[in-house]
Amino acid sequence: MEKEISQAVIRRMPRYYRYLGELIEAGAERISSGDLSSRMNVTASQIRQDLNNFGGFGQQGYGYNVKYLYEEIGKILGLGRKHNIIIVGAGNLGQALANYLEFEKFGFEITALFDINEKLKNQCIRGIEIHMLDELDDFVKREKVDIAALTMPKANADVMANRLVELGIPAIWNFAHVDLKLENQDVVVESVHLSDSLMQLSYNLEQNAADR
Amino acid sequence: MEKEISQAVIRRMPRYYRYLGELIEAGAERISSGDLSSRMNVTASQIRQDLNNFGGFGQQGYGYNVKYLYEEIGKILGLGRKHNIIIVGAGNLGQALANYLEFEKFGFEITALFDINEKLKNQCIRGIEIHMLDELDDFVKREKVDIAALTMPKANADVMANRLVELGIPAIWNFAHVDLKLENQDVVVESVHLSDSLMQLSYNLEQNAADR
């Protein structure tokens, strides 16, 4: 059943998780789908539908238990178990990701960075070593790697992504400004296209200006 | 008419733009919606529908002129004119954005960074000065600012976003791990939630593992 859940639903789950985390911080114990709905700008029926994909979690007349729902969504998102991440491309963006502590709270641990720039050799970011790219194969054979974050220019991104997949890494978190063309379709790819996001903002900015 | 175009359509426009750019680099002069479709993994009818929102651009039996379509989509996205960006939060992510050259190609220029960390005072990233936050108001009154990128922790993100909007900045590019609550609804907000993206990846990774 779960296989058929659309990516649009999955995309909303981290948002639910985030809001529920905020509610816990604020000391809330339960919430109605109506209240959750007005906070999140999603209809109450949408919330019920989304959560029903995974079995519901709500009780008629009570709403949702905040902590329980938070934990269940966490499990659905696989946040219960530890995920090791390597970062391929130790430039500014790669280093920024390595320095970002938020991910560790959710079980994502960055275990190594890789680059071709000799100047970065043996340097560390927050205790995480930058390796040269020729050490990649040995590293991946030796250590469990769940996710490779690709923070390198687009020119070689496809070649590198396919190499990472051949080494057995099951997921690519792609920051290169390109939609990856992978030979193996069985790999999880999630892309963050910063320029696309900026262009969407730019469009909306132009529209707003035109409306004034 | 343009006001009614859905954000789902707008979200695909930068992708079209990106692909057309790749086609130009590869020397292509024209392309059918069928070819564009198979490259982009979007149906040909979707592409035609999307582009018809803006007036079409294709010719029956010829397809699309790559360079012309690229330029027209660029105009639609507002890439023709210069946008000034300030970055609020000069930590790792803020510095990574300041160092990222890709944005300038599309007319987005980063003109200043702001932070409260005294150690960063008067430092420069690629020639762009890091100012202390108490200089923000004067700077915004003096210089045209189109977009503020918010790369600071979530705790103060709402307060800062509302301050930026009050100063007259018409668009916020939000990287804080929170959905901003703005008093002024007339502002453009585009969020990049890195943790959400990682959680969506994590979900798909778990599903793939379960299928094996």
Side-chain angles (χ1 to χ4, degrees), chain A residues 2-3 5 7 10-11 14-15 17-19 22 25 54 76-79 81 83 85 92-93 95-97 99-100 102-103 106 108 146-147 154 170-173 175 177-179 181 186-188 190-208 211-212, chain B residues 2-3 5 7 10-11 14-15 17-19 22 25 54 76-79 81 83 85 92-93 95-97 99-100 102-103 106 108 146-147 154 170-173 175 177-179 181 186-188 190-208 211-212:
Chain A
E2 292 201 9
K3 276 186 228 172
I5 297 170
Q7 288 298 308
I10 305 309
R11 203 170 298 128
R15 273 191 75 205
Y17 188 76
R18 188 144 42 83
Y19 271 82
E22 287 175 19
E25 280 175 26
F54 304 98
I76 289 166
L77 292 170
L79 307 185
R81 73 176 196 88
H83 291 97
I85 304 181
N92 289 290
L93 184 57
Q95 295 196 18
L97 290 180
N99 265 306
Y100 197 56
E102 195 81 13
F103 305 141
F106 307 117
F108 301 97
D146 301 296
I147 300 164
K154 69 172 181 178
I172 307 282
W173 196 20
F175 288 80
H177 189 50
V178 67
D179 288 333
K181 291 167 200 76
D186 209 28
V187 177
V188 174
E190 172 71 24
S191 291
V192 177
H193 290 308
L194 295 178
S195 299
D196 286 18
S197 160
L198 192 51
M199 287 180 195
Q200 191 172 352
L201 180 150
S202 168
Y203 173 85
N204 288 318
L205 188 57
E206 296 290 312
Q207 291 301 305
N208 254 18
D211 290 351
R212 270 176 201 148
Chain B
E2 292 201 7
K3 278 185 226 170
I5 298 170
Q7 289 298 309
I10 305 310
R11 202 169 300 128
R15 273 190 74 205
Y17 187 76
R18 188 145 43 82
Y19 272 82
E22 288 175 18
E25 280 175 25
F54 305 97
I76 290 166
L77 292 170
L79 307 185
R81 73 177 196 87
H83 290 97
I85 305 182
N92 289 291
L93 185 56
Q95 294 195 18
L97 290 181
N99 264 307
Y100 197 56
E102 195 82 12
F103 304 141
F106 307 118
F108 301 97
D146 301 296
I147 300 163
K154 69 173 181 177
I172 308 281
W173 197 21
F175 288 80
H177 189 50
V178 67
D179 288 333
K181 291 167 199 75
D186 210 28
V187 177
V188 174
E190 172 72 24
S191 292
V192 177
H193 290 308
L194 296 178
S195 298
D196 286 18
S197 159
L198 193 51
M199 287 180 195
Q200 190 172 353
L201 180 151
S202 168
Y203 172 86
N204 288 318
L205 188 56
E206 296 291 312
Q207 291 302 305
N208 254 18
D211 289 351
R212 268 174 203 150

Side-chain angles (χ1 to χ4, degrees), chain A residues 115-185:
Chain A
D115 208 290
I116 50 168
N117 183 349
E118 291 281 343
K119 284 183 198 155
L120 296 171
K121 193 167 180 170
N122 297 327
Q123 285 193 29
C124 282
I125 310 291
R126 203 166 54 84
I128 308 162
E129 194 177 337
I130 303 178
H131 300 262
M132 291 298 98
L133 203 53
D134 56 19
E135 301 166 48
L136 177 69
D137 294 33
D138 283 346
F139 184 92
V140 177
K141 277 168 201 160
R142 203 171 62 230
E143 313 273 343
K144 182 171 153 298
V145 178
D146 301 296
I147 300 164
L150 210 56
T151 51
M152 50 183 287
K154 69 172 181 178
N156 301 311
D158 274 333
V159 172
M160 179 54 68
N162 279 302
R163 178 172 161 195
L164 293 163
V165 170
E166 263 176 49
L167 286 169
I169 297 174
I172 307 282
W173 196 20
N174 173 43
F175 288 80
H177 189 50
V178 67
D179 288 333
L180 296 174
K181 291 167 200 76
L182 292 179
E183 285 149 29
N184 181 337
Q185 300 299 316

